[in-house]
């Protein structure tokens, strides 16, 4: 299994400047570097997760995601694309930068982990400043290092879309199918939550 944590507590949304200003104000008050493209991370959930799972982990993966086409003509960032916008190619590419961090390199004490986590977010911020704001247009819309291009072809996605779409549509055409669909959705969610909470 894997666990994904968003230490910022909420998404970076350029259309809600108050959240960004509050985040930067908190960093300034705490004597931390002020970040431009990410929010100031909070350490509690990260500390609890790493501390609880340390016997099962050998590493943590730091993932930074950036979207092409999300800077307006004035150079200001726009909101990350919705799934519809992505599928309509308003966002031509998604860029993902992954950094593997050995568990032994992560401080155990919350006070030291807080500084370490903020330093990780400073690295993210520098990556995103280069991605969105680089003066050299050849370096814009790219992360540094070796890259792997992965196209999502219609040939790969269409068969499963047609199969699942057809299966769902055929279920929703009958009253008993609709009832089964709703029950599967409700009970499947409850059983999944119960399984996750009791499984050692």
């Amino acid at each position: 299994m894997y666990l994904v944590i968003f230490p910022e507590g909420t998404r970076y949304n350029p259309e809600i400047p108050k959240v960004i200003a509050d985040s930067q104000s908190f960093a300034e008050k705490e004597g931390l570097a002020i970040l431009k493209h990410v929010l100031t991370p909070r350490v509690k959930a990260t500390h609890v997760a790493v501390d609880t799972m340390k016997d099962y982990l050998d590493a943590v993966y730091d993932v930074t995601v950036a979207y092409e086409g999300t800077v307006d003509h004035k150079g200001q960032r726009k909101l990350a694309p919705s799934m519809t916008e992505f599928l309509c190619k308003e966002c031509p590419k998604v860029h993902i930068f992954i950094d593997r961090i050995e568990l032994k390199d992560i401080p155990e004490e919350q006070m030291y982990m807080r500084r370490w986590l903020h330093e990780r977010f400073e690295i993210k911020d520098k990556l995103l400043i280069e991605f969105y704001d680089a003066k050299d247009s050849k370096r814009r819309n790219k992360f540094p290092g070796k890259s792997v291009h992965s196209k999502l072809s219609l040939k790969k996605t269409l068969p499963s879309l047609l199969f699942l779409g057809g299966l769902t549509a055929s279920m929703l055409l009958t009253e008993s199918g609709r009832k089964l669909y709703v029950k599967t959705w409700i009970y499947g969610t409850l059983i999944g939550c119960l399984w996750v909470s009791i499984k050692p």
Side-chain angles (χ1 to χ4, degrees), residues 38-93:
V38 290
L39 300 175
T40 304
R42 308 299 172 104
V43 75
K44 284 183 185 172
T46 305
H47 181 260
V48 168
V50 172
D51 188 54
T52 304
M53 298 176 70
K54 64 186 174 193
D55 295 334
Y56 308 99
L57 295 176
D58 56 359
V60 168
Y61 290 85
D62 182 357
V63 180
T64 305
V65 180
Y67 305 92
E68 273 190 34
T70 54
V71 175
D72 66 19
H73 63 282
K74 294 178 185 173
Q76 298 297 312
R77 270 184 70 187
K78 299 184 286 184
L79 188 62
S82 66
M83 183 59 77
T84 307
E85 290 167 330
F86 183 69
L87 292 173
C88 292
K89 293 193 174 182
E90 289 180 40
C91 170
K93 290 181 186 172

Side-chain angles (χ1 to χ4, degrees), residues 34-193:
I34 295 170
L35 307 170
K36 180 180 178 184
H37 284 289
V38 290
L39 300 175
T40 304
R42 308 299 172 104
V43 75
K44 284 183 185 172
T46 305
H47 181 260
V48 168
V50 172
D51 188 54
T52 304
M53 298 176 70
K54 64 186 174 193
D55 295 334
Y56 308 99
L57 295 176
D58 56 359
V60 168
Y61 290 85
D62 182 357
V63 180
T64 305
V65 180
Y67 305 92
E68 273 190 34
T70 54
V71 175
D72 66 19
H73 63 282
K74 294 178 185 173
Q76 298 297 312
R77 270 184 70 187
K78 299 184 286 184
L79 188 62
S82 66
M83 183 59 77
T84 307
E85 290 167 330
F86 183 69
L87 292 173
C88 292
K89 293 193 174 182
E90 289 180 40
C91 170
K93 290 181 186 172
V94 177
H95 296 257
I96 303 170
F97 187 88
I98 303 171
D99 202 0
R100 185 179 196 274
I101 302 149
E102 296 288 333
L103 188 64
K104 64 180 176 54
D105 296 331
I106 301 172
E108 289 189 30
E109 293 292 322
Q110 184 171 325
M111 181 176 68
Y112 297 114
M113 186 184 280
R114 178 175 172 254
R115 170 58 62 187
W116 170 83
L117 185 61
H118 197 80
E119 287 169 0
R120 293 302 315 172
F121 271 71
E122 288 177 54
I123 293 167
K124 286 177 179 296
D125 204 45
K126 286 175 184 163
L127 285 168
L128 292 169
I129 286 169
E130 191 72 10
F131 186 91
Y132 290 117
D133 306 331
K135 300 276 187 273
D136 182 356
S137 61
K138 290 178 184 172
R139 289 164 61 187
R140 213 173 301 134
N141 288 328
K142 289 182 182 150
F143 281 134
K146 184 183 172 189
S147 62
V148 176
H149 297 276
S150 179
K151 289 195 174 196
L152 196 58
S153 71
L154 197 59
K155 189 170 74 174
K156 289 180 181 175
T157 56
L158 190 60
S160 56
L161 175 68
L162 292 174
F163 175 74
L164 292 171
L167 192 62
T168 304
S170 63
M171 280 183 74
L172 296 176
L173 288 174
T174 64
E175 187 177 338
S176 59
R178 287 190 292 273
K179 286 180 182 176
L180 176 63
Y181 181 81
V182 170
K183 285 179 182 176
T184 304
W185 188 77
I186 292 170
Y187 294 122
T189 303
L190 291 173
I191 290 167
C193 290

